[in-house]
Amino acid sequence: MSATPPFPEAQAHGSIPNYLAWSIISTVLATCLCCPLGLVGIVAIVFSSQVNSKLNQGDIEGARRSSANAKIWCWVATALAIVGLLINIVMFATGGMETYLQMMQQYQ
């Protein structure tokens, strides 16, 4: 099977990125580092997977919208991964949860 869309107008408008790799990586990292909040990256995966199918159907504008939405949700998942990474770094640098609980007991 050919990887190019069957519609010539889809090829004429250039390549529309689907961001599938970015969405998968950011979802996995955000989920591992930020727990359930990272699952918003699934939205990015859904939009990313819609791009190629819409291009194959000849829906150029729909493919562009899906690509733009995928990019937005990829950034959201990436931001959550970065926040989760920073939280983990701070937790490990300050002694972890055990040290935090000991400090809270001392204040009481």
Side-chain angles (χ1 to χ4, degrees), residues 7-29:
F7 297 97
E9 62 269 6
Q11 294 174 346
H13 288 29
S15 177
I16 298 174
N18 63 11
Y19 303 109
L20 188 59
W22 183 14
S23 64
I24 292 171
I25 292 169
S26 63
T27 300
V28 169
L29 287 176

Side-chain angles (χ1 to χ4, degrees), residues 17-19 22 44 47-48 65-78:
N18 63 11
Y19 303 109
W22 183 14
F47 280 119
S48 295
R65 282 193 309 270
S66 291
S67 178
N69 286 331
K71 186 176 181 180
I72 290 168
W73 286 103
C74 283
W75 276 114
V76 170
T78 301

Side-chain angles (χ1 to χ4, degrees), residues 1-92:
M1 288 190 67
S2 174
T4 59
F7 297 97
E9 62 269 6
Q11 294 174 346
H13 288 29
S15 177
I16 298 174
N18 63 11
Y19 303 109
L20 188 59
W22 183 14
S23 64
I24 292 171
I25 292 169
S26 63
T27 300
V28 169
L29 287 176
T31 303
C32 290
L33 295 171
C34 217
C35 292
L37 288 178
L39 293 176
V40 300
I42 293 174
V43 178
I45 294 172
V46 169
F47 280 119
S48 295
S49 65
Q50 289 177 357
V51 173
N52 289 342
S53 62
K54 288 184 179 182
L55 278 175
N56 288 335
Q57 294 172 358
D59 185 7
I60 304 299
E61 200 53 43
R64 284 192 179 132
R65 282 193 309 270
S66 291
S67 178
N69 286 331
K71 186 176 181 180
I72 290 168
W73 286 103
C74 283
W75 276 114
V76 170
T78 301
L80 287 173
I82 292 170
V83 167
L85 179 63
L86 292 175
I87 289 171
N88 284 319
I89 289 172
V90 168
M91 288 297 286
F92 284 121

